[in-house]
Amino acid sequence: MARKFANTSQKETKNPEKAKAFSGGLFSFFLWFSVGFVALFILATLFSLFIFSLSAIKHNGWQIFIGTNWDPDNASFGGLPFITGTFLTSVLALLISLPFSLSLSIFLGEYRPTGRLSTLLKAVVRLLAGIPSVIYGMWGLLVLVPLMQKWQLSLVSFGVIPMGVGVLTASLVVAIMIIPYSTSLAYEVIQLVPQDLKEAAISLGSPRYKMIQKVIIPYASSGILAGHMLAFGRALGETMAVTMVIGNLNQMPTSLFSAGSTIASVIANQFTESTGLHTESLTELGLILFLFTIVFSFIGQRIIKNLSFER
Amino acid sequence: MTTPKAHLRSNIIKDKLFFGIILVLSFAVAIPLIWIVGYIIVQGVQNLSPVLFIKDQNGGGILNAILGTIIVTTIAALIATPIGIMTGIYIAEYQNKFSHFLKVIVELIQSIPSIVMGILAFIWFVVPLRSFSALSGSIALALIMIPVVVKNTEENIRLIPLLLKEAAYALGAPKHEVILKILVPCSISGISTGVLVGVSRIMGETAPLLFTAFGTRIIHINIFRPMETLPTLIFKYVSSPVEEWIKIAWAAALILSATVFLLNLISSVLIKRWKVKL
């Protein structure tokens, strides 16, 4: 045993410098390969999306932003209905989820930071985040859409066409999906509000709800905002759930109940069946979506970064 | 004119009312979860049958999609794990301007919509190879998984006490040995949790697979050919008017959600049980 050990150690010491240099070299090769890949990824994405859709960019010009007519057969690619649909559903989803996500983050951050109730709610949030989006879409289409249809039937006299699918239904589903993203950052920031400030407010005789309104929310506002920015970015790019319940109409949505499309849903719907300029125009829409989400994510990150300096 | 006492009382009432509203709105978030999960369990269990697991789609089952999901996800994990871990190590261990830049990039990658990843894999692999393929789907999923692995690796490596690293350096170990023999083994539970979380995340991804892996109704294991996965199967079956297919979709949704849930459970157990005590 001892001999065996001696042998191996001898073998190892035969050329230790060389072996070490080799493994070190191998390691740094893998390291730089991975790091280089990640570092160049955004540029490569931008570049390949741009190159691939170059002829569409030339052909469409500004039409992709301001044109309202999407007709692949006649090579007319106006993307405004999809851009409108994307922002409409995302803003609406954010507004619908706001009271819930804000309450949840106040509850988890201020009222019950620990304990059974908060463990339960955190588990709920985690599970919501874990459900695949196609399953949200399936539930939306098979369960929520018939319900919406029933409700819209009572609104027929107001000129609503009871389709069930549409912008509002899509926003509802997306609102549920983004709650985990908007709360996860917000409640942590609320927990970070200095105890001194809270005590000062209380000692001046302010009731707790007023303290939350006037001290906690203003103090944590940038963090709450950043969380909602990230959630908004998610909502912009959400594809499957939206595709399944928005109705997929290539026209400007006329009301909250009308069918529409988002950039992501039109790509999901038409990409495989498209050829030539149609595919390239869809890629151009993908490039626009990419730029939108990158901008919002970057702003969100800036806010978070400023936040950590304050601390 | 309110007396101090009445003022106090109104404040107490308002306070209780405020808390009540917060409580109700917070717990309202659980309603859609129970609703969705309940539907999947009830409908899924009703429509679950052994045929699903032994026949492909032409035979009324979903075995090809189950195998497809396993193959596509595994390849994606094999691509994303080493790249993700290495980048995470770099961000945590090499404190310089470049690593700060990398951190920003990783967060930006995380925010890219998954459908854009699908377009990328389409441009990079489907167009040159002139065919939809399981491999291109895996690449798209790997791109989504990388940021998850990076963030988890980085956070867990940062947790390792400086003392441990200093001891290793003091013994004359070069940087790559310190990383491979001290940092990675000590944070292995956190890193593998990151990988599992990433896998459970990409397992349910549908959008990038629609025009990369595309789908086929038969069983095969050639990764250069189109392959069906559970999420794309659910999407196609739910959108179809065939009653029987919608039933199969519910069962498939149950299988997919249960798997994702199980992976999440394993990862949370892992992080508790397997953690190296420091």
Side-chain angles (χ1 to χ4, degrees):
Chain A
M1 191 74 185
R3 208 162 155 199
K4 219 175 177 179
F5 188 75
N7 270 345
T8 48
S9 69
Q10 219 172 32
K11 221 180 202 170
E12 259 180 18
T13 50
K14 207 173 170 187
N15 208 337
E17 291 308 318
K18 212 172 170 184
K20 248 178 202 171
F22 178 71
S23 63
L26 201 65
F27 177 79
S28 51
F29 170 75
F30 275 117
L31 190 70
W32 284 109
F33 174 78
S34 311
V35 171
F37 179 84
V38 172
L40 292 175
F41 183 75
I42 300 275
L43 271 183
T45 305
L46 206 57
F47 186 70
S48 40
L49 288 176
F50 183 74
I51 294 292
F52 191 78
S53 55
L54 197 59
S55 52
I57 294 172
K58 272 187 199 147
H59 176 270
N60 297 332
W62 290 106
Q63 277 301 309
I64 200 87
F65 289 110
I66 53 170
T68 53
N69 181 33
W70 182 267
D71 186 2
D73 295 332
N74 296 319
S76 168
F77 299 103
L80 190 61
F82 312 127
I83 297 174
T84 313
T86 305
F87 278 94
L88 196 59
T89 47
S90 307
V91 170
L92 215 55
L94 205 61
L95 288 180
I96 295 171
S97 75
L98 190 69
F100 299 100
S101 60
L102 201 58
S103 302
L104 196 56
S105 31
I106 291 173
F107 186 77
L108 289 175
E110 171 62 21
Y111 283 105
R112 299 276 188 284
T114 53
R116 239 179 243 164
L117 278 185
S118 86
T119 318
L120 189 76
L121 279 179
K122 279 176 194 163
V124 167
V125 170
R126 241 200 338 269
L127 285 173
L128 275 179
I131 299 176
S133 84
V134 69
I135 291 185
Y136 276 106
M138 181 181 187
W139 172 80
L141 186 62
L142 298 179
V143 182
L144 197 61
V145 166
L147 274 179
M148 291 295 279
Q149 212 161 10
K150 237 180 232 169
W151 177 58
Q152 286 168 12
L153 268 176
S154 64
L155 297 175
V156 169
S157 50
F158 297 101
V160 174
I161 306 162
M163 286 189 293
V165 294
V167 174
L168 186 66
T169 317
S171 308
L172 266 177
V173 179
V174 175
I176 302 169
M177 298 179 72
I178 60 173
I179 281 177
Y181 297 101
S182 45
T183 41
S184 60
L185 191 68
Y187 84 82
E188 279 174 30
V189 180
I190 288 178
Q191 273 180 347
L192 288 177
V193 177
Q195 196 65 28
D196 302 357
L197 282 183
K198 292 196 262 177
E199 279 165 9
I202 296 283
S203 65
L204 284 174
S206 106
R208 201 172 186 180
Y209 79 93
K210 225 163 206 155
M211 186 267 284
I212 291 172
Q213 282 170 1
K214 304 274 173 181
V215 177
I216 292 190
I217 292 184
Y219 191 90
S221 59
S222 53
I224 297 171
L225 184 69
H228 284 86
M229 288 291 255
L230 296 181
F232 187 69
R234 285 277 146 190
L236 286 181
E238 179 43 48
T239 313
M240 296 322 295
V242 172
T243 308
M244 290 163 95
V245 299
I246 202 169
N248 301 310
L249 198 68
N250 298 346
Q251 284 167 13
M252 289 294 277
T254 49
S255 79
L256 293 184
F257 299 106
S258 78
S261 276
T262 64
I263 295 179
S265 76
V266 75
I267 296 172
N269 253 318
Q270 303 184 353
F271 203 86
T272 37
E273 285 141 25
S274 63
T275 48
L277 208 56
H278 188 190
T279 313
E280 284 149 20
S281 297
L282 288 170
T283 311
E284 191 186 353
L285 281 177
L287 178 65
I288 293 168
L289 181 65
F290 170 77
L291 292 174
F292 281 154
T293 46
I294 287 288
V295 167
F296 280 102
S297 167
F298 195 71
I299 298 172
Q301 271 187 52
R302 286 277 112 183
I303 299 174
I304 296 172
K305 210 175 171 198
N306 291 340
L307 211 73
S308 52
F309 276 124
E310 257 172 44
R311 260 177 241 159
Chain B
M1 190 69 196
T2 52
T3 58
K5 208 173 176 186
H7 185 70
L8 185 67
R9 194 177 298 137
S10 89
N11 265 347
I12 290 175
I13 293 171
K14 275 185 199 159
D15 217 21
K16 287 208 165 126
L17 199 68
F18 185 79
F19 180 63
I21 293 170
I22 295 275
L23 196 69
V24 169
L25 288 179
S26 302
F27 276 86
V29 174
I31 296 171
L33 178 76
I34 297 168
W35 199 359
I36 295 170
V37 172
Y39 248 96
I40 291 170
I41 293 175
V42 171
Q43 297 278 351
V45 169
Q46 274 174 14
N47 297 310
L48 215 54
S49 69
V51 184
L52 294 178
F53 297 96
I54 49 174
K55 291 264 173 68
D56 64 11
Q57 271 171 278
N58 287 335
I62 53 169
L63 181 60
N64 60 328
I66 295 175
L67 285 176
T69 296
I70 295 172
I71 293 170
V72 171
T73 316
T74 310
I75 297 172
L78 289 178
I79 299 168
T81 305
I83 295 180
I85 291 179
M86 281 300 194
T87 311
I89 288 173
Y90 189 89
I91 295 177
E93 270 306 291
Y94 295 71
Q95 303 278 354
N96 52 32
K97 278 216 170 117
F98 183 58
S99 73
H100 285 294
F101 166 74
L102 267 183
K103 207 173 166 178
V104 176
I105 294 288
V106 168
E107 303 233 332
L108 289 182
I109 295 179
Q110 199 163 26
S111 73
I112 298 177
S114 60
I115 193 147
V116 174
M117 300 299 194
I119 300 179
L120 277 181
F122 178 84
I123 296 173
W124 290 349
F125 289 90
V126 176
V127 174
L129 297 176
R130 288 165 193 280
S131 153
F132 296 113
S133 62
L135 185 66
S136 57
S138 300
I139 305 272
L141 294 186
L143 297 177
I144 298 168
M145 187 174 160
I146 286 173
V148 182
V149 181
V150 172
K151 296 212 96 182
N152 263 285
T153 308
E154 183 211 336
E155 277 165 20
N156 281 286
I157 285 195
R158 273 190 205 285
L159 291 179
I160 294 170
L162 195 62
L163 210 62
L164 215 60
K165 282 190 279 180
E166 280 171 354
Y169 281 125
L171 288 172
K175 189 150 196 164
H176 72 272
E177 276 190 5
V178 176
I179 289 169
L180 290 179
K181 293 187 176 164
I182 309 284
L183 298 184
V184 173
C186 281
S187 50
I188 193 76
S189 79
I191 294 175
S192 35
T193 305
V195 173
L196 279 180
V197 170
V199 168
S200 69
R201 165 92 203 277
I202 59 171
M203 198 168 244
E205 279 295 344
T206 319
L209 295 175
L210 290 176
F211 36 84
T212 50
F214 193 67
T216 164
R217 298 177 64 86
I218 53 160
I219 296 173
H220 70 86
I221 51 166
N222 185 351
I223 58 168
F224 293 100
R225 280 174 51 198
M227 203 180 270
E228 192 71 83
T229 57
L230 279 174
T232 51
L233 175 134
I234 293 172
F235 176 59
K236 285 169 194 164
Y237 273 19
V238 168
S239 320
S240 83
V242 187
E243 193 88 346
E244 194 55 36
W245 283 9
I246 291 178
K247 284 183 178 171
I248 293 177
W250 279 116
L254 177 67
I255 297 168
L256 181 67
S257 318
T259 317
V260 170
F261 175 72
L262 202 68
L263 280 174
N264 279 327
L265 199 71
I266 294 173
S267 65
S268 60
V269 170
L270 259 191
I271 197 119
K272 273 185 199 141
R273 290 278 162 85
W274 197 21
K275 193 157 193 161
V276 177
K277 298 275 183 299
L278 293 170

